[in-house]
Amino acid sequence: MGISRDSRHKRSHTGAKRAHYRKKRKFELGRQSANTKLGPKRIHEVRVRGGNKKFRAMRLEAGTYSWGSESISRSTRIVSVVYNASNNELVRTNTLVKGAIVQIDATPFRQWYENRYAKTLGKKKRQGNEEEKDADKPRSKHLLAKIAARQSSVDPALDKQFASGRLYAIITSRPGQSGRCDGYILEGKELEFYHRKIHSKK
């Protein structure tokens, strides 16, 4: 028996059994879930209704993540799955699905921030000598004026994550449908909420 998405086999809202007047139809079919795992990129192309295509990601290791408060996006490596509201088994098996909380590599975002604001992120990780070297870099007056005009403050909880080199992010794309694993970095109240959830599970 194939996977079917029809509702004719269900009882009506009053509890009555519905009459069987036809067999399964092609337009009611369902397919097996992709269960996208962490690993070297592997995507299957699936021909769907209307001759369209879906991209079934079997394995992915990177995605594009946006940093909302700074309005930038960078492609970065996915390290691991840390929380999934629907099922703990998906965390254990490192399954990538929409809504899963993952840890991503912070390096592209840290490099961008330090280049734009001439400030270091995650100071615990960086040594004092390195900070002094960064401050002594030759810069033109025009560039110094531009940097001074830019104002930025990073949430302390996010800064602590930059020190560890990993950031918490949420997946907003559907890897089994689009073949991509994109999302955004968690900040503020949302970060606090998921931080509590992650640590209560351990």
Side-chain angles (χ1 to χ4, degrees):
M1 294 292 283
I3 300 167
S4 183
R5 294 172 60 250
D6 72 307
S7 59
R8 288 177 297 105
H9 67 283
K10 308 277 277 186
R11 286 173 179 254
S12 72
H13 73 283
T14 56
K17 278 190 173 180
R18 289 203 175 98
H20 293 284
Y21 64 91
R22 72 177 188 200
K23 292 182 178 179
K24 290 181 180 180
R25 295 290 188 260
K26 179 85 162 68
F27 56 78
E28 292 168 348
L29 69 78
R31 296 183 184 88
Q32 282 185 309
S33 57
N35 292 329
T36 310
K37 305 286 187 221
L38 263 179
K41 185 176 171 182
R42 194 164 90 204
I43 296 169
H44 290 176
E45 204 174 89
V46 181
R47 193 260 188 203
V48 295
R49 190 168 163 85
N52 296 308
K53 288 174 184 174
K54 283 186 179 180
F55 300 95
R56 186 83 77 239
M58 309 312 290
R59 288 183 197 155
L60 287 173
E61 59 186 350
T64 303
Y65 288 82
S66 62
W67 187 357
S69 60
E70 294 293 339
S71 303
I72 63 144
S73 293
R74 289 290 178 271
S75 184
T76 187
R77 186 173 58 87
I78 301 163
V79 179
S80 65
V81 179
V82 290
Y83 179 74
N84 192 309
S86 63
N87 192 349
N88 280 342
E89 192 69 10
L90 300 178
V91 178
R92 192 183 64 79
T93 55
N94 273 335
T95 304
L96 303 170
V97 292
K98 183 178 177 175
I101 307 299
V102 293
Q103 275 194 321
I104 59 171
D105 184 20
T107 310
F109 298 99
R110 185 175 56 78
Q111 286 173 341
W112 174 86
Y113 187 91
E114 290 176 2
N115 188 44
R116 181 168 174 81
Y117 297 109
K119 293 178 185 173
T120 53
L121 274 174
K123 288 175 183 173
K124 287 178 186 175
K125 196 179 178 188
R126 309 282 300 276
Q127 297 298 319
N129 296 339
E130 282 186 49
E131 285 182 40
E132 285 169 24
K133 282 177 190 174
D134 288 349
D136 293 339
K137 276 183 185 174
R139 291 189 175 98
S140 66
K141 286 182 181 178
H142 174 69
L143 181 58
L144 288 169
K146 273 175 78 175
I147 290 167
R150 292 167 183 163
Q151 298 295 319
S152 174
S153 60
V154 175
D155 180 17
L158 199 61
D159 193 46
K160 195 184 283 185
Q161 286 182 63
F162 273 107
S164 68
R166 293 177 178 188
L167 302 172
Y168 287 127
I170 189 166
I171 298 171
T172 53
S173 67
R174 300 170 71 194
Q177 307 287 318
S178 64
R180 297 184 61 86
C181 191
D182 303 336
Y184 62 89
I185 294 168
L186 295 174
E187 298 178 87
K189 292 273 177 75
E190 198 175 14
L191 176 60
E192 285 174 30
F193 173 81
Y194 282 113
H195 202 270
R196 282 198 305 273
K197 289 282 186 184
I198 291 160
H199 291 282
S200 66
K201 290 266 180 188
K202 288 177 182 176

